[in-house]
Amino acid sequence: MHLTAAEILETLMIISFGISWPTSIHKSYTARSTKGKSLLFLFFIFVGYLFGIAAKLLTNNLNLAFWFYILNSVMVFTDICLYFRNRRIQRREES
């Protein structure tokens, strides 16, 4: 598999963005709170990754970057799910 310089840079960009998601997921899971989280922000990031996946599928360019788009989108989706879990926990504790 031969990667172009542009593909290597794209992959590094996606990896750089993705490095923060495990920390964010851990914080969401342990905090059990939505404080400091923006659902709109998470949604836009998730949609952006979906667009990246769609672009790779449309161009039939399933290189390394494609797999990191998928990994990152799964992590963001996990954080979105935790947001709803945490919101439910907060509402239960407030009542």
Side-chain angles (χ1 to χ4, degrees), residues 2-41:
H2 175 70
L3 293 175
T4 66
E7 289 173 319
I8 291 169
L9 292 172
E10 179 186 24
T11 301
L12 291 172
M13 176 208 56
I14 297 165
I15 290 170
S16 297
F17 288 165
I19 287 172
S20 63
W21 291 117
T23 303
S24 180
I25 289 167
H26 181 263
K27 180 183 174 190
S28 293
Y29 182 76
T30 58
R32 300 171 62 92
S33 169
T34 60
K35 185 176 181 181
K37 292 285 183 173
S38 167
L39 183 58
L40 188 60
F41 174 79

Short mmCIF file of all heavy atoms in Angstrom, two decimals, residues 2-41:
data_model
loop_
_atom_site.label_atom_id
_atom_site.label_comp_id
_atom_site.label_asym_id
_atom_site.label_seq_id
_atom_site.Cartn_x
_atom_site.Cartn_y
_atom_site.Cartn_z
N HIS A 2 0.75 2.04 -1.02
CA HIS A 2 1.55 3.25 -1.16
C HIS A 2 0.69 4.46 -0.82
O HIS A 2 -0.32 4.70 -1.46
CB HIS A 2 2.10 3.36 -2.59
CG HIS A 2 2.82 4.63 -2.85
ND1 HIS A 2 4.04 4.90 -2.28
CD2 HIS A 2 2.48 5.71 -3.58
CE1 HIS A 2 4.43 6.10 -2.67
NE2 HIS A 2 3.49 6.61 -3.46
N LEU A 3 1.11 5.21 0.19
CA LEU A 3 0.38 6.41 0.59
C LEU A 3 1.09 7.64 0.04
O LEU A 3 2.31 7.74 0.08
CB LEU A 3 0.32 6.53 2.11
CG LEU A 3 -0.50 5.49 2.86
CD1 LEU A 3 -0.36 5.69 4.36
CD2 LEU A 3 -1.95 5.57 2.47
N THR A 4 0.29 8.57 -0.46
CA THR A 4 0.86 9.84 -0.91
C THR A 4 1.13 10.72 0.30
O THR A 4 0.63 10.45 1.41
CB THR A 4 -0.11 10.58 -1.86
OG1 THR A 4 -1.28 10.97 -1.10
CG2 THR A 4 -0.52 9.70 -3.03
N ALA A 5 1.89 11.78 0.10
CA ALA A 5 2.16 12.71 1.19
C ALA A 5 0.86 13.31 1.72
O ALA A 5 0.69 13.46 2.94
CB ALA A 5 3.10 13.81 0.71
N ALA A 6 -0.07 13.62 0.83
CA ALA A 6 -1.36 14.18 1.26
C ALA A 6 -2.14 13.19 2.11
O ALA A 6 -2.76 13.56 3.12
CB ALA A 6 -2.18 14.59 0.04
N GLU A 7 -2.10 11.91 1.75
CA GLU A 7 -2.81 10.89 2.53
C GLU A 7 -2.17 10.69 3.90
O GLU A 7 -2.87 10.51 4.90
CB GLU A 7 -2.84 9.57 1.76
CG GLU A 7 -3.75 9.59 0.55
CD GLU A 7 -3.64 8.32 -0.28
OE1 GLU A 7 -2.51 7.82 -0.48
OE2 GLU A 7 -4.69 7.85 -0.73
N ILE A 8 -0.86 10.77 3.95
CA ILE A 8 -0.15 10.65 5.22
C ILE A 8 -0.53 11.82 6.12
O ILE A 8 -0.84 11.64 7.31
CB ILE A 8 1.37 10.57 5.01
CG1 ILE A 8 1.74 9.24 4.35
CG2 ILE A 8 2.12 10.75 6.33
CD1 ILE A 8 3.17 9.17 3.85
N LEU A 9 -0.54 13.02 5.56
CA LEU A 9 -0.89 14.21 6.35
C LEU A 9 -2.35 14.15 6.82
O LEU A 9 -2.65 14.52 7.96
CB LEU A 9 -0.63 15.48 5.54
CG LEU A 9 0.85 15.78 5.28
CD1 LEU A 9 0.99 16.95 4.31
CD2 LEU A 9 1.58 16.06 6.58
N GLU A 10 -3.24 13.69 5.95
CA GLU A 10 -4.65 13.55 6.34
C GLU A 10 -4.78 12.54 7.49
O GLU A 10 -5.51 12.79 8.46
CB GLU A 10 -5.50 13.10 5.16
CG GLU A 10 -6.96 12.91 5.50
CD GLU A 10 -7.77 12.33 4.35
OE1 GLU A 10 -7.19 11.66 3.46
OE2 GLU A 10 -9.00 12.54 4.36
N THR A 11 -4.08 11.44 7.38
CA THR A 11 -4.13 10.42 8.43
C THR A 11 -3.59 10.98 9.74
O THR A 11 -4.18 10.78 10.81
CB THR A 11 -3.33 9.17 8.01
OG1 THR A 11 -3.91 8.66 6.81
CG2 THR A 11 -3.36 8.11 9.09
N LEU A 12 -2.49 11.70 9.69
CA LEU A 12 -1.92 12.31 10.90
C LEU A 12 -2.88 13.32 11.52
O LEU A 12 -2.99 13.43 12.75
CB LEU A 12 -0.57 12.94 10.60
CG LEU A 12 0.56 11.95 10.30
CD1 LEU A 12 1.81 12.68 9.82
CD2 LEU A 12 0.85 11.07 11.50
N MET A 13 -3.60 14.09 10.67
CA MET A 13 -4.58 15.04 11.17
C MET A 13 -5.68 14.32 11.93
O MET A 13 -6.05 14.70 13.04
CB MET A 13 -5.20 15.85 10.02
CG MET A 13 -6.31 16.78 10.49
SD MET A 13 -7.58 17.16 9.27
CE MET A 13 -8.19 15.59 8.77
N ILE A 14 -6.20 13.25 11.35
CA ILE A 14 -7.29 12.51 11.97
C ILE A 14 -6.82 11.84 13.26
O ILE A 14 -7.54 11.82 14.26
CB ILE A 14 -7.88 11.48 10.99
CG1 ILE A 14 -8.48 12.20 9.79
CG2 ILE A 14 -8.94 10.62 11.65
CD1 ILE A 14 -8.75 11.31 8.61
N ILE A 15 -5.61 11.32 13.25
CA ILE A 15 -5.05 10.72 14.47
C ILE A 15 -4.92 11.78 15.55
O ILE A 15 -5.28 11.55 16.71
CB ILE A 15 -3.70 10.03 14.19
CG1 ILE A 15 -3.92 8.78 13.35
CG2 ILE A 15 -2.98 9.70 15.49
CD1 ILE A 15 -2.63 8.16 12.82
N SER A 16 -4.44 12.96 15.18
CA SER A 16 -4.29 14.06 16.14
C SER A 16 -5.63 14.44 16.75
O SER A 16 -5.72 14.66 17.96
CB SER A 16 -3.66 15.28 15.46
OG SER A 16 -2.37 14.98 15.01
N PHE A 17 -6.66 14.54 15.92
CA PHE A 17 -7.99 14.84 16.45
C PHE A 17 -8.48 13.72 17.34
O PHE A 17 -9.12 13.96 18.37
CB PHE A 17 -8.99 15.05 15.31
CG PHE A 17 -8.82 16.32 14.54
CD1 PHE A 17 -9.45 16.47 13.32
CD2 PHE A 17 -8.05 17.37 15.01
CE1 PHE A 17 -9.31 17.64 12.59
CE2 PHE A 17 -7.89 18.54 14.29
CZ PHE A 17 -8.52 18.68 13.08
N GLY A 18 -8.19 12.49 16.96
CA GLY A 18 -8.71 11.34 17.68
C GLY A 18 -8.06 11.08 19.02
O GLY A 18 -8.64 10.40 19.86
N ILE A 19 -6.88 11.60 19.23
CA ILE A 19 -6.15 11.34 20.48
C ILE A 19 -6.95 11.82 21.69
O ILE A 19 -6.91 11.20 22.75
CB ILE A 19 -4.75 11.98 20.43
CG1 ILE A 19 -3.85 11.18 19.49
CG2 ILE A 19 -4.13 12.09 21.81
CD1 ILE A 19 -2.51 11.82 19.21
N SER A 20 -7.71 12.89 21.54
CA SER A 20 -8.44 13.46 22.68
C SER A 20 -9.71 12.70 23.04
O SER A 20 -10.21 12.82 24.16
CB SER A 20 -8.78 14.92 22.41
OG SER A 20 -9.66 14.99 21.29
N TRP A 21 -10.25 11.90 22.13
CA TRP A 21 -11.55 11.26 22.39
C TRP A 21 -11.54 10.25 23.52
O TRP A 21 -12.48 10.23 24.33
CB TRP A 21 -12.14 10.68 21.11
CG TRP A 21 -12.55 11.77 20.18
CD1 TRP A 21 -12.04 12.04 18.94
CD2 TRP A 21 -13.51 12.81 20.44
NE1 TRP A 21 -12.63 13.16 18.42
CE2 TRP A 21 -13.53 13.66 19.31
CE3 TRP A 21 -14.34 13.10 21.50
CZ2 TRP A 21 -14.36 14.77 19.23
CZ3 TRP A 21 -15.16 14.22 21.42
CH2 TRP A 21 -15.16 15.03 20.29
N PRO A 22 -10.53 9.40 23.67
CA PRO A 22 -10.55 8.48 24.82
C PRO A 22 -10.58 9.23 26.16
O PRO A 22 -11.29 8.83 27.09
CB PRO A 22 -9.26 7.67 24.67
CG PRO A 22 -8.99 7.69 23.21
CD PRO A 22 -9.42 9.07 22.75
N THR A 23 -9.87 10.35 26.25
CA THR A 23 -9.89 11.15 27.47
C THR A 23 -11.26 11.75 27.70
O THR A 23 -11.77 11.75 28.82
CB THR A 23 -8.83 12.27 27.38
OG1 THR A 23 -7.55 11.68 27.15
CG2 THR A 23 -8.79 13.11 28.64
N SER A 24 -11.87 12.24 26.65
CA SER A 24 -13.21 12.82 26.75
C SER A 24 -14.23 11.78 27.17
O SER A 24 -15.10 12.04 28.01
CB SER A 24 -13.60 13.45 25.41
OG SER A 24 -14.89 14.02 25.48
N ILE A 25 -14.13 10.59 26.61
CA ILE A 25 -15.05 9.50 26.95
C ILE A 25 -14.87 9.12 28.42
O ILE A 25 -15.85 8.95 29.15
CB ILE A 25 -14.83 8.29 26.02
CG1 ILE A 25 -15.31 8.62 24.61
CG2 ILE A 25 -15.50 7.05 26.56
CD1 ILE A 25 -14.87 7.63 23.56
N HIS A 26 -13.64 9.00 28.86
CA HIS A 26 -13.37 8.65 30.26
C HIS A 26 -13.94 9.71 31.19
O HIS A 26 -14.57 9.39 32.21
CB HIS A 26 -11.86 8.48 30.49
CG HIS A 26 -11.53 8.10 31.88
ND1 HIS A 26 -11.15 9.03 32.82
CD2 HIS A 26 -11.54 6.90 32.51
CE1 HIS A 26 -10.93 8.41 33.97
NE2 HIS A 26 -11.17 7.11 33.81
N LYS A 27 -13.74 10.97 30.86
CA LYS A 27 -14.26 12.06 31.68
C LYS A 27 -15.79 12.00 31.73
O LYS A 27 -16.39 12.16 32.79
CB LYS A 27 -13.80 13.42 31.13
CG LYS A 27 -14.31 14.58 31.94
CD LYS A 27 -13.89 15.91 31.34
CE LYS A 27 -14.55 17.05 32.10
NZ LYS A 27 -14.38 18.32 31.42
N SER A 28 -16.42 11.78 30.58
CA SER A 28 -17.88 11.69 30.54
C SER A 28 -18.38 10.54 31.39
O SER A 28 -19.37 10.66 32.11
CB SER A 28 -18.37 11.50 29.10
OG SER A 28 -18.12 12.64 28.33
N TYR A 29 -17.71 9.41 31.30
CA TYR A 29 -18.14 8.22 32.01
C TYR A 29 -18.01 8.40 33.53
O TYR A 29 -18.91 8.05 34.28
CB TYR A 29 -17.33 7.01 31.55
CG TYR A 29 -17.77 5.73 32.22
CD1 TYR A 29 -18.94 5.10 31.81
CD2 TYR A 29 -17.03 5.18 33.25
CE1 TYR A 29 -19.36 3.93 32.42
CE2 TYR A 29 -17.44 4.01 33.88
CZ TYR A 29 -18.61 3.38 33.46
OH TYR A 29 -19.02 2.24 34.08
N THR A 30 -16.89 8.95 33.97
CA THR A 30 -16.65 9.06 35.41
C THR A 30 -17.36 10.27 36.03
O THR A 30 -17.77 10.20 37.19
CB THR A 30 -15.14 9.14 35.72
OG1 THR A 30 -14.57 10.26 35.02
CG2 THR A 30 -14.44 7.86 35.32
N ALA A 31 -17.53 11.35 35.28
CA ALA A 31 -18.16 12.56 35.83
C ALA A 31 -19.65 12.38 36.04
O ALA A 31 -20.23 13.01 36.93
CB ALA A 31 -17.91 13.75 34.90
N ARG A 32 -20.28 11.55 35.21
CA ARG A 32 -21.72 11.33 35.29
C ARG A 32 -22.49 12.65 35.25
O ARG A 32 -23.51 12.83 35.90
CB ARG A 32 -22.07 10.53 36.55
CG ARG A 32 -21.39 9.17 36.58
CD ARG A 32 -21.53 8.46 37.89
NE ARG A 32 -22.90 8.16 38.24
CZ ARG A 32 -23.54 7.03 37.95
NH1 ARG A 32 -22.90 6.08 37.29
NH2 ARG A 32 -24.77 6.84 38.34
N SER A 33 -21.95 13.59 34.45
CA SER A 33 -22.53 14.92 34.34
C SER A 33 -22.33 15.43 32.91
O SER A 33 -21.37 15.05 32.23
CB SER A 33 -21.83 15.86 35.32
OG SER A 33 -22.18 17.20 35.07
N THR A 34 -23.21 16.31 32.48
CA THR A 34 -23.06 16.93 31.16
C THR A 34 -22.31 18.26 31.25
O THR A 34 -22.09 18.91 30.23
CB THR A 34 -24.44 17.18 30.52
OG1 THR A 34 -25.20 18.05 31.37
CG2 THR A 34 -25.18 15.89 30.28
N LYS A 35 -21.92 18.63 32.45
CA LYS A 35 -21.22 19.90 32.65
C LYS A 35 -19.96 19.94 31.78
O LYS A 35 -19.15 19.02 31.78
CB LYS A 35 -20.84 20.06 34.12
CG LYS A 35 -20.24 21.39 34.43
CD LYS A 35 -19.97 21.55 35.91
CE LYS A 35 -19.38 22.91 36.17
NZ LYS A 35 -19.09 23.10 37.59
N GLY A 36 -19.83 21.01 31.05
CA GLY A 36 -18.67 21.19 30.18
C GLY A 36 -18.78 20.51 28.83
O GLY A 36 -17.86 20.58 28.03
N LYS A 37 -19.90 19.86 28.57
CA LYS A 37 -20.10 19.17 27.29
C LYS A 37 -21.12 19.94 26.45
O LYS A 37 -22.10 20.46 26.97
CB LYS A 37 -20.64 17.75 27.50
CG LYS A 37 -19.66 16.82 28.13
CD LYS A 37 -18.61 16.39 27.14
CE LYS A 37 -17.67 15.39 27.76
NZ LYS A 37 -16.76 14.84 26.80
N SER A 38 -20.90 19.98 25.16
CA SER A 38 -21.84 20.58 24.23
C SER A 38 -22.31 19.51 23.26
O SER A 38 -21.52 19.00 22.46
CB SER A 38 -21.17 21.73 23.46
OG SER A 38 -21.98 22.12 22.36
N LEU A 39 -23.60 19.20 23.35
CA LEU A 39 -24.16 18.20 22.44
C LEU A 39 -24.06 18.68 20.99
O LEU A 39 -23.76 17.89 20.09
CB LEU A 39 -25.62 17.91 22.81
CG LEU A 39 -26.31 16.83 22.00
CD1 LEU A 39 -25.56 15.50 22.09
CD2 LEU A 39 -27.75 16.68 22.46
N LEU A 40 -24.27 19.96 20.76
CA LEU A 40 -24.19 20.50 19.40
C LEU A 40 -22.77 20.33 18.84
O LEU A 40 -22.60 19.93 17.69
CB LEU A 40 -24.60 21.97 19.39
CG LEU A 40 -24.76 22.63 18.03
CD1 LEU A 40 -25.83 21.92 17.21
CD2 LEU A 40 -25.11 24.10 18.19
N PHE A 41 -21.77 20.61 19.67
CA PHE A 41 -20.38 20.44 19.25
C PHE A 41 -20.11 18.99 18.89
O PHE A 41 -19.54 18.69 17.84
CB PHE A 41 -19.44 20.90 20.37
CG PHE A 41 -18.00 20.63 20.09
CD1 PHE A 41 -17.27 21.44 19.24
CD2 PHE A 41 -17.35 19.55 20.67
CE1 PHE A 41 -15.93 21.19 18.98
CE2 PHE A 41 -16.01 19.28 20.41
CZ PHE A 41 -15.30 20.11 19.57
#
